[in-house]
Each structure stands twice: as structure tokens, then as C-alpha cells.
Amino acid sequence: MTVANGAVVNWPATGNTFTWDGSADNDWFNPANWDRNAVPGAIDDVILVPITNQPVLSNNAAVNNLTSTIGSILDLNGFVLVVNGTADLAGSITGIGTAGVTLTGTGQTVRGTINAELAVIGSYALNG
């Protein structure tokens, strides 16, 4: 791409897809528990699968799109998960007290079970 007069072009960042493998323990923030050996962030898509070590938050977290497959369980453990895109939850999300999910996307979809506080800041269509 050619730019003129010192113009700067900033492309939106795109993330990767991370799949939970729980190979080390149940700590969401342990890179060894993810197939990419890194912890997903706010621009990354996350897929949760049922496995012996189900993920547990130990701090607030943010992802882009969240997919949980049947039998998977995310324990918020008193923290907040921000979902910036679609939440497709065949599995479930649980949390007590101040734990919750915040949906911030625009024109996105949410489907499934969230057994925690839910805040919708964006616009979402409920499906299922």
C-alpha cells in the first residue's frame, strides 16, 4: 500500500482462535492450558470443550467470540468475563456473587446458559 504526505494506516487487529485443553490445571490464565500455549485476550476467539480440568477464572478476562461445547463449564469464580462478539454456549457459565458476563458487541448473538449476572452493553439477539 502506498501512502502520501505522511499518512498512517492502522488496520484493526485480528485475533486468533484458542481452544481450551486443560492440560496443566484449571487456571484460565495458565498458558499451558491453551492449544496455542498462550492466554487469549480481548481480540481472540475462544472454544471451550469438556475435559477433566474445566477453566476457572482467577481474574477478570475478555475475549472476542466465545463458543462452549456441550459438557463444558466455565467457572467465573467471582470475576467478570467480557465477550466482545458472539456467545454460543452449548456448555454453561457459572458464577456467584459479583461474578458475571458482560456482552459488549454490536449486532451479535447470544445463545445458551449463563448462570451468573449478565450485563448487556451492546446489542444482542437472543437465540435458543
Side-chain angles (χ1 to χ4, degrees):
M1 168 182 280
T2 304
V3 295
N5 299 323
V8 175
V9 177
N10 292 312
W11 298 105
T14 57
N16 294 300
T17 299
F18 287 74
T19 301
W20 175 262
D21 65 26
S23 57
D25 53 33
N26 64 0
D27 184 2
W28 176 282
F29 293 98
N30 182 344
N33 287 320
W34 297 96
D35 67 331
R36 295 180 159 276
N37 290 315
V39 177
I43 63 171
D44 297 313
D45 296 338
V46 166
I47 300 171
L48 302 178
V49 297
I51 197 156
T52 301
N53 290 324
Q54 291 291 289
V56 177
L57 293 185
S58 57
N59 205 334
N60 295 329
V63 300
N64 186 36
N65 296 311
L66 176 64
T67 302
S68 67
T69 59
I70 293 173
S72 66
I73 302 168
L74 170 59
D75 182 353
L76 299 174
N77 192 35
F79 296 99
V80 174
L81 175 67
V82 175
V83 178
N84 297 314
T86 296
D88 187 3
L89 309 173
S92 64
I93 296 177
T94 62
I96 57 172
T98 58
V101 175
T102 301
L103 303 174
T104 64
T106 301
Q108 300 294 334
T109 303
V110 62
R111 177 182 76 89
T113 303
I114 300 173
N115 293 316
E117 293 292 321
L118 176 64
V120 180
I121 295 173
S123 62
Y124 281 78
L126 301 177
N127 180 3

